[in-house]
Amino acid sequence: MIAIGSDHGGFELKQEIMAHLEKRGLEYKDFGTYTPESCDYPVYGKAVARAVASGACDRGIIICGTGIGISITANKIPGIRAALCTDCFCAEATRLHNDANILALGGRVVGPGLALKIVDTFLDTPFSGDERHKRRISMIED
Ligand code: RB5
């Protein structure tokens, strides 16, 4: 189950991503926002991060205008490793190296075509499991 959420700056891209997840037959839970009206990104960043941290959802996707505010918010929740990605190289690397459990995107930064490729790369790349990466990840929350 994928948790997804955005503020108004990511609202349009969230709709595109949800349609894409549906096409791929992937289950998701939409934590809002549900309208394009102006709203506060921490509300949605926290909701998605808590769903992932609790184990209710396996991965998360969060979107605001830049992806910055919502990723800063999500990374405050223990157990969350939210990665703001603007390209597929970073999306792949953050899964392989950081075992990132949330992908953050900027709805005003990446176009929908690239964003969907980033989403696919993030969802389809497993963690490498390498000892050095496990060690570094465990050091994050020491
Ligand atoms: C909202 O205008 C904008 O500040 C927000 O979407 C995000 O970019 C914050 O980091």
Side-chain angles (χ1 to χ4, degrees), residues 7-10 38-41 63-72 106-109:
D7 73 353
H8 55 288
S38 181
C39 60
D40 301 323
Y41 61 80
I63 314 147
C64 66
T66 58
I68 296 172
I70 204 159
S71 59
I72 291 172
R108 296 172 183 155
V109 180

Side-chain angles (χ1 to χ4, degrees), residues 5-76:
S6 77
D7 73 353
H8 55 288
F11 179 75
E12 250 182 66
L13 183 55
K14 177 161 70 70
Q15 306 307 114
E16 303 248 11
I17 292 172
M18 291 190 301
H20 181 69
L21 296 176
E22 267 164 47
K23 267 192 215 149
R24 285 195 50 176
L26 297 172
E27 284 194 314
Y28 64 86
K29 184 164 188 225
D30 180 8
F31 285 84
T33 183
Y34 304 114
T35 74
E37 304 316 311
S38 181
C39 60
D40 301 323
Y41 61 80
V43 172
Y44 308 98
K46 281 184 191 173
V48 169
R50 285 179 179 141
V52 173
S54 71
C57 292
D58 313 298
R59 300 270 184 90
I61 300 173
I62 51 177
I63 314 147
C64 66
T66 58
I68 296 172
I70 204 159
S71 59
I72 291 172
T73 305
N75 277 315
K76 294 280 183 192

